[in-house]
């Protein structure tokens, strides 16, 4: 597409320049020669009038005076007494000169100039027009390249965004390109990404709730079967059937656990094991100068070497959103703390500011909720992003505010990849 835009724009520009340049060159060339002829006619008339005045007043007519008044011209004057006065340098042969003659009262005047001077002037004008044509082509080419890039780069980005959405990576990019039509498409894709993220989060929550609801009665069943087996001292049949039922219940619990792991690991993007330290170091390097300009700093504490299952770009955007939120609404030192809890890698981000107002605590992650002049989408999108990767974002303390990102451990991938155990013993 870029090549077609360049070729079409370049072709239109060349045609337009030639349609203007060729007539302009012809008209300029013709105008220069006509101006030269008209100039000779005026000069011959002026010389004839001046000679007549001097002849009638008996004043001398000298070649020096005429040559001084009309430099670059060859003038031949024939007076009524048949005397001849010449002034200037004799130009080349008749074919290489421009001449005009005037006669009145017995006085004849011939004025000539070198035609090569007129040709040189016309050539300079044509060269100037040619330079302008080349400049116009160069400017047109540069504008065509710029316009093609301006139109094609957004389309390439939108195609990549659509491809990511098709593969399940529902992270809004929030890029705008300054082209209203393209920006509308980008806005629609961002809204679609948010809706997909919400649907995926709801799907995971349903899977988690269903697994939990199934696991609780299965655990109770296992306990009852264990009690039944323990109480059956003599009836071998009861003991045998109870043991078989207990084995089946344990297998069912294992199936539920593996289904839960698979639901969490459902491939909705490019979530892979990622070193959390690398992401945090990159974000601190990017945001530290911004906080320093406000007299604040960013510190990193906690455990090192933690690995979480997450999309690298997604975690970067989530941390950047929380740091930006702290920069705008918080105060003091911002602390990033990493730790490992039961089944989760946790990244906590807090500051020393006033925290979240009480009236916003319960709805701080809702869409369009903000305590300042923001859009209220930052925390909402951050929570959607972490949900896409099977994690969650929580406000663990309101004042001063501490947000916690709970991410899956890499061990869950191995659990999700295990074969389901079903069937009788």
């Amino acid at each position: 597409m870029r090549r077609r835009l360049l070729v079409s724009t370049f072709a239109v520009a060349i045609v337009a320049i030639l349609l203007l340049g060729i007539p302009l060159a012809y008209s300029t060339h013709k105008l220069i020669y006509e101006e030269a002829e008209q100039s000779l006619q005026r000069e011959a008339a002026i010389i004839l009038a001046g000679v007549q005045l001097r002849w009638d007043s008996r004043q001398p007519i000298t070649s020096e005076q005429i040559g001084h008044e009309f430099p670059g011209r060859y003038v031949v004057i024939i007076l009524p007494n048949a005397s001849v006065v010449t002034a200037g340098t004799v130009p080349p042969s008749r074919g290489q000169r421009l001449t005009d003659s005037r006669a009145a009262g017995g006085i004849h005047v011939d004025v000539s100039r070198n035609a090569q001077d007129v040709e040189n002037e016309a050539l300079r004008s044509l060269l100037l027009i040619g330079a302008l044509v080349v400049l116009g082509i160069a400017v047109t080419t540069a504008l065509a390249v710029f316009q093609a890039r301006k139109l094609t780069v957004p389309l390439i980005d939108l195609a990549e965004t659509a491809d990511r959405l098709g593969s399940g990576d529902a992270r809004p990019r929030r890029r705008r390109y300054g082209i209203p039509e393209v920006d509308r498409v980008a806005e629609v894709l961002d809204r679609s990404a948010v809706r997909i993220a919400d649907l995926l989060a709801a799907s995971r929550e349903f899977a988690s709730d269903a697994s939990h609801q199934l696991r609780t009665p299965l655990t109770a069943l296992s306990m009852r079967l264990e009690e039944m087996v323990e109480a059956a001292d003599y009836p071998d049949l009861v003991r045998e059937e109870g043991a078989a039922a207990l084995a089946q219940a344990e297998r069912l619990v294992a199936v539920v656990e593996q289904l839960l792991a698979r639901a969490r690991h459902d491939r909705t993007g490019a979530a892979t094991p990622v070193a959390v330290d690398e992401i945090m170091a990159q974000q601190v390097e990017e945001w530290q100068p911004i906080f320093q300009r406000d007299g604040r700093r960013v510190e990193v504490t906690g455990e090192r070497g933690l690995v979480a299952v997450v999309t690298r770009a997604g975690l970067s955007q989530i941390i950047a959103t929380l740091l930006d939120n702290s920069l705008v609404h918080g105060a003091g030192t911002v602390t990033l703390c990493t730790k490992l809890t039961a089944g989760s890698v946790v990244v906590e981000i807090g500051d020393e500011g006033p925290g979240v107002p009480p009236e916003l605590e319960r709805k701080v992650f809702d869409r369009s909720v903000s305590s300042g002049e923001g859009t209220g989408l930052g925390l909402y999108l951050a929570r959607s992003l972490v949900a896409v990767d099977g994690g969650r974002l929580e406000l663990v303390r309101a004042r001063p505010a501490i947000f916690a990102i709970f991410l899956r451990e890499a061990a869950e991938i191995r659990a999700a990849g295990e074969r389901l155990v079903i069937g009788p013993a």
Side-chain angles (χ1 to χ4, degrees):
M1 179 178 180
R2 181 181 298 181
R3 186 172 180 270
R4 291 197 298 270
L5 284 173
L6 287 174
V7 171
S8 60
T9 305
F10 188 75
V12 170
I14 291 295
V15 171
I17 290 174
L18 291 179
L19 288 177
L20 293 175
I22 293 176
L24 178 62
Y26 174 77
S27 301
T28 302
H29 187 272
K30 184 178 179 181
L31 181 63
I32 289 174
Y33 273 90
E34 289 179 351
E35 178 64 26
E37 292 174 356
Q38 292 175 3
S39 176
L40 285 178
Q41 293 173 3
R42 289 193 299 270
E43 292 171 356
I46 292 173
I47 293 173
L48 178 60
V51 170
Q52 283 182 326
L53 179 63
R54 288 178 175 274
W55 177 264
D56 294 338
S57 61
R58 307 292 183 174
Q59 295 181 6
I61 301 173
T62 61
S63 58
E64 290 80 7
Q65 183 180 7
I66 296 174
H68 178 73
E69 293 178 358
F70 300 93
R73 303 291 185 267
Y74 178 65
V75 181
V76 178
I77 303 172
I78 302 176
L79 300 174
N81 58 3
S83 61
V84 177
V85 178
T86 61
T89 304
V90 179
S93 61
R94 174 70 61 177
Q96 298 180 6
R97 70 172 69 174
L98 297 178
T99 303
D100 187 78
S101 300
R102 289 285 187 275
I107 301 174
H108 184 84
V109 176
D110 287 336
V111 181
S112 303
R113 66 175 297 183
N114 193 347
Q116 187 64 40
D117 295 338
V118 180
E119 291 181 4
N120 291 339
E121 184 179 355
L123 181 60
R124 285 193 297 270
S125 299
L126 292 178
L127 289 177
L128 177 59
I129 294 174
L132 292 177
V133 168
V134 173
L135 178 61
I137 293 175
V139 171
T140 302
T141 303
L143 290 176
V145 171
F146 172 77
Q147 192 69 15
R149 178 177 176 81
K150 184 178 179 180
L151 292 176
T152 56
V153 169
L155 295 179
I156 293 173
D157 285 347
L158 292 177
E160 292 177 355
T161 302
D163 184 65
R164 285 174 42 251
L165 289 177
S167 64
D169 187 0
R171 288 180 290 111
R173 302 182 73 173
R174 292 187 288 182
R175 289 185 181 178
R176 297 298 180 266
Y177 308 97
I179 304 175
E181 294 79 3
V182 178
D183 288 344
R184 282 198 294 271
V185 176
E187 185 177 351
V188 170
L189 288 177
D190 285 347
R191 288 201 300 266
S192 300
V194 173
R195 287 196 295 268
I196 292 173
D198 291 342
L199 292 174
L200 293 173
S203 175
R204 285 196 178 86
E205 289 178 2
F206 172 77
S208 178
D209 294 341
S211 299
H212 177 74
Q213 295 299 325
L214 287 172
R215 186 166 46 193
T216 300
L218 287 174
T219 302
L221 176 61
S222 299
M223 294 175 61
R224 295 296 299 273
L225 290 174
E226 288 175 357
E227 292 176 359
M228 184 180 69
V229 172
E230 291 294 334
D233 294 332
Y234 297 101
D236 294 337
L237 183 60
V238 174
R239 182 184 297 275
E240 181 180 353
E241 292 297 327
L246 180 60
Q248 292 288 348
E250 290 176 350
R251 287 190 178 92
L252 190 54
V253 171
V255 170
V256 172
E257 293 289 347
Q258 291 180 5
L259 287 175
L260 176 60
R262 286 194 174 185
R264 289 178 176 175
H265 184 63
D266 183 19
R267 184 171 183 79
T268 58
T272 56
V274 173
V276 177
D277 292 344
E278 296 180 5
I279 303 296
M280 294 180 60
Q282 182 263 332
Q283 289 298 313
V284 170
E285 181 181 358
E286 179 179 341
W287 285 88
Q288 188 76 268
I290 302 176
F291 277 89
Q292 287 178 349
R293 285 199 292 267
D294 287 350
R296 302 170 62 186
R297 68 179 187 275
V298 181
E299 294 182 351
V300 179
T301 61
E303 301 182 37
R304 294 290 183 268
L306 298 180
V307 178
V309 180
V310 68
T311 306
R312 180 180 293 271
L315 181 57
S316 298
Q317 187 170 341
I318 295 164
I319 295 177
T321 298
L322 295 176
L323 288 175
D324 180 65
N325 187 72
S326 177
L327 179 67
V328 175
H329 303 290
T333 301
V334 179
T335 303
L336 282 71
C337 179
T338 55
K339 58 185 177 181
L340 184 63
T341 62
S344 298
V345 175
V346 182
V347 180
E348 292 184 346
I349 301 178
D351 56 47
E352 301 170 347
V356 179
E359 65 273 12
L360 297 181
E361 285 186 39
R362 295 182 179 275
K363 54 182 180 179
V364 68
F365 293 106
D366 292 348
R367 182 194 291 267
S368 302
V369 173
S370 175
S371 62
E373 298 179 353
T375 61
L377 292 176
L379 293 177
Y380 172 78
L381 292 174
R383 197 176 207 183
S384 299
L385 286 175
V386 74
V388 168
D389 292 331
R392 67 183 192 276
L393 175 61
E394 302 290 344
L395 176 65
V396 297
R397 191 174 73 186
R399 289 171 294 279
I402 296 180
F403 291 89
I405 308 170
F406 294 87
L407 305 171
R408 293 181 293 155
E409 288 186 90
E412 286 199 16
I413 293 183
R414 294 191 295 271
E418 294 176 359
R419 185 174 61 86
L420 293 180
V421 181
I422 56 177

